Amino acid sequence: MASNAAKERKKVAALLEKEAEIQKRWEDAKIFEAVAKPEENRPKYLVTFPYPYMNGRLHLGHTFTVSKCEFAVGYQRMRGRNCLFPFGLHCTGMPIKANADKIKREMEDYGYPPQFPEHEEAKPVEEKSVLDEITKDKSKSKKVSLDRRGVRVEEKSELDEITKDKGKSKKSKVVAKTGPGKYQWQIMQSLGLEDEEIKKFADANYWLEYFPQHCIDDLKLMGIKYFPQHCIDDLKLMGIKVDWRRSFITTDVNPYYDSFVRWQFQHLRAAKKIDFGKRYTIYSPKDGQPCMDHDRASGEGVGPQEYTLIKLKCRFLCADQDGVSEGRSSFKIPETMYGQTNCYLHPDIVYSAFYAGPEEDRVYIATARAARNMSYQGMTRENGVVRFVPGLEKITGDKILGAALSAPLAKYERVYALPMLTIKDDKGTGVVTSVPSDSPDDFAALSDLKKKKPLREKYGITDEMVLPFEPNEKYGIIDEMVLPFEPVPIIEIEGLGSLAAPEMCARLKIESQNEKDKLEDAKKEVYLKGFYDGVMLVGKYAGQKAGDAKKTVQTDLITEGLADKYVEPEKKIISRSGDECVVALCDQCTPLDSHQGKLFFEVNSGDAERSYLNYGDEEWKAQTKTAVEQLETYSEETNTNLLRTIDWLHEHACSRSYGLGTRLPWDPQYLIESLSDSTIYNAYYTVAHLLQEGSLEGTVTGPLGVKAEQMTHEVWDYVFKGAEYDAATMPVEEAKLRELRKEFTYWYPIDMRVSGKDLVPNHLTYLLFNHVAIWPDQKELWPRSIRANGHLLLNNEKMSKNTGNFLTLTEGIEKFSADGMRLSLADAGDAVEDANFVFSMADAAILRLYNLLDWVREMVAARDAGALRSADAPRIFADRVFQNDMNRQIEATSANYEATLFKEALKTGFFEYTAIRDRYRELCGGEQGMAADLVFQWVETQALIVSPIAPHVAEQVWELLGKEGFIVNARWPETSPVDELTSKQAEFLEETIKECRSRLKNYMNPKKKTTTPIVTPTEATIWVAKEYPGWQRTVLMILAQQAKENAGILPDNKAISQLIGKEDSLKKFAKKTMPFVQMVKEAYEAKGATALAVACEFDQAAVLEENRDYLMNGLELDGLKIRHTDEAGVDAAIVEAVCPGVPSIVYEAPRAIRIKERGVTIDGVTVTARNVHVANGLFDMEVTILEGDTVSGLVRKMRRTNRAIKPRFEVALLRYSDPVGGPRKLISIEDPTSINEKMAEDGVFSVDVAAQTVKVTVGGVSHVIGDTVVYSAV
């Protein structure tokens, strides 16, 4: 094992050494620097990738997406397109600034270098907030310990670990990426940085200097190490075809890009795409600003969820007063409030009573988590501040159960608070209003209480709260006996009636609220049908669709003061600063104080308003959908998700107070957030090299000599919108602006934008919105295609630093080489489903690439030595098939590259391309039988078609072939049209030998055991049918007619049977026709119309005859006959069994065998075959000659029994001139066969078994052989 590993490392080292050499040559030649050449009138191709964030090294997940761009560019270059692949580096947002501040604080708290408290690493657990502690159920407390930072770590019991759902890990993204309990300093150390270097990262700007170049260098090694400059270094390792002159970093550190983004936002504002005012936004109280996707440690893609808070009035004794409180029930379906029968609380959840309203003259009851959310939505006197009722900060639900309530719109004047054990405290308010007519959960919980007296007694629920009772004026019910709190019909649903929930529970036999799976199925059915098909039965909206009434009922409830709008995150969101986010009704954020390096913020309700991109604008949505209509998305799922995102997208906060970025042009104290400054930056790539080449930060003026301050709003208008030149407002010479404008108009639009599928609901959709907004009347500038891919798994598991299942770009290259990694990335997958990078595949890729290079070297040496078949020699069947196979595979590979199906391109252009070479070698009987020109046509085309994926190895092959220039500049190979007839002949031969081998296996292993020993056959007859016999022809004609009349579709067997039954000529074959029909139908599914032909379209016997040696060698036969079924005297069973295109083989036992009691004896004479050549490596062997054997047949037998005689060897048989004394004579070293005579290949042997003598007859003359023959194999 160790030896093999060492050998593999040597191969990787050899590949890496050549990759570095090739990358240096590419860079010196500047072959990937793209120049706009409109005068050449050739198509261009611009591909881009969302610039990676510069707070860490690129990992294999980034690389997987980058590889899609890289492979596409490699192919499009070969198609003659002028290709541009630029690569920027994103620094906008919170993470860099937050990480820099962490390093600064760690030095302040722990000194330099920091001396962190020593503590055994705790197991990673879900982060606990103060809010979690407030709402924690003390009755079920678990043991806790403190980690070295004082963070609570919950101790898990063995039962907890056994029952834990491993598929629903709650580790935050921060923990998952960095491992348990790490400080930022330790994270930096894990990247290989020394303390002296790490302290520089306390300055956020140093991150911008350090990492981008490493990133780029890594990608160059891929044939594309740390953050901006280091990121560049990393990317270069990949060997990527990027024009690095156009690279840049974002934020106001780069004055050119900063100016560009400000220009974009001025246009968005002028187009009224930016609104101002309060909006519901995911918000981090700790950071004091909205928390967008890129600012989150967990919860990416999670948005606000709107609820209707129903006010249920209750009266009970508070700790310090008698007061009226309003239980707040979160409910998303306001139109069902007519059906309330009670409300539910969880007995064990901790609730809180807190003051609400502008004057805080009301008391609300809800969870503390919900109270915190409400405080940021104007429901308390002071934003972000919750004042709890003294003594009622924490109340378990069981203390409130049984409370009498007044429910708006309910039929019943008074309802009660009842227990429900499935309520969770991480959703809504923890108070759930009950509508058992249309909620299966509510009905099941109410039914449990009605049926189970011990359950009522446990929670103090009296019978009158749930069971029937006599009329009583006390309850306002005086007319008749009633069934209180029974489900109230409020919505009619077709198929489910007016009591949908009880109906579904009955159908699914739901007996308890604990049957969660069944209840989930019931809810899906009831809620979907109720929303789309339900019709209101009660209230002023009776007769309307339930879905239509939803919003109007909500509005009425809010207007009448019976409800409020409430919004909270759909799921838990943790910011990168570790804060649990809320939904806030945001305007501007203003800094309040600074303490120990931390900034504190509050939501300011003053006149200043926060800026929002109004993605909810219907006209803007409609325009963006038009952009999707003209967009190639490569998958229906991506197209559907883009349209869905456009539909649900609403206002997006585009400014923030903390982090790095570009300042808002109209309010410079605020920054443009990271998802908003990265929408049309692809346009900036087109001119970046002219403005700031040589400086990622834009601190050096580019080759055009235009300074950043000269890039005014009007100048950008000239470049990107074609404004008229105005010297008064454009402080740049018009000639220079024309050059910038030429670059933009040449390269734009984006031909393909590649990204992970997680960016479809944000970045990729924003990209479309913003292109439509900036160029509303120029559809030709909107993106042409968007390609989204799935995430990358490693060895079928999710990538995670915490588990060790993680690989960076540089580690991937060091482990597998750039091309080995690239090959495996291509093989990982193409679709939007998650792909899988398999280490064993990468190891195999290394071996395949290395073997390819070795084989090419061997072929070059063989060609130079004249060991290959001359190109002038007549073409044989194998040549024609090989040439045709190459054409077919090249065409298929081209189609796969065009469709960006790189896994398929690798399959057709490398794996299968290698297979057709191997088959050609087999058909030729070895490498010496291969035609030299075809061998090197294969080598050249193989290098070309695999070069987009493995360019370094392709360059090496190019060099071995003595080609000029670089293969990455070469053109895609031209092909001749595929000859379908040749393809069919090749398939016929392949299927024939496969069938022959199958029959041989059956021959040697009969199902019925026999007492006669099974002898390996040495001869066989292949039977070929030119056409089907009469009755079968008739059936085929019927099927062909049906296919013609039914657009190529054959009817079912019943219809066919009826048609056949009408044919008198087929009646006597009735039992055979339908099995034959079934066989033909299966062939029709696989082969199409050719399966209905009554005769084969080519000469089957001729194909088999031309490949006789291949068949005999492959089947290890000494003799083979090829016969037609239409010959006289052929057995009827054979005639009927053999079909055109499907030959049948009949094996024969060896001639002249004698069965003895103990086995089989072959009647023949055994002689010694002697090799007399010096230092040949071949020795004497025994061979049995049978009556009628030929010289060529004996050679074939010798090859089969002696594997040391290689297929490439030419073998000749010689006899001694003196058959008796010859074998005893001394031979000459100079001419060891001087005493021998060569026997012609068509010579025929005759044997006398009794006398043990052999003769060979050639041309009518017989010669005695004796007991020894001589063979040469060279």
Side-chain angles (χ1 to χ4, degrees), residues 436-438 487-492 496-504:
S437 60
D438 291 86
V488 178
I490 57 172
I491 297 175
E492 180 73 30
L496 293 177
S498 59
L499 295 173
E503 174 64 22
M504 280 304 301

Side-chain angles (χ1 to χ4, degrees), residues 1251-1267:
Q1252 286 292 291
T1253 59
V1254 180
K1255 292 181 181 180
V1256 61
T1257 301
V1258 179
V1261 179
S1262 297
H1263 302 278
V1264 176
I1265 296 300
D1267 61 2

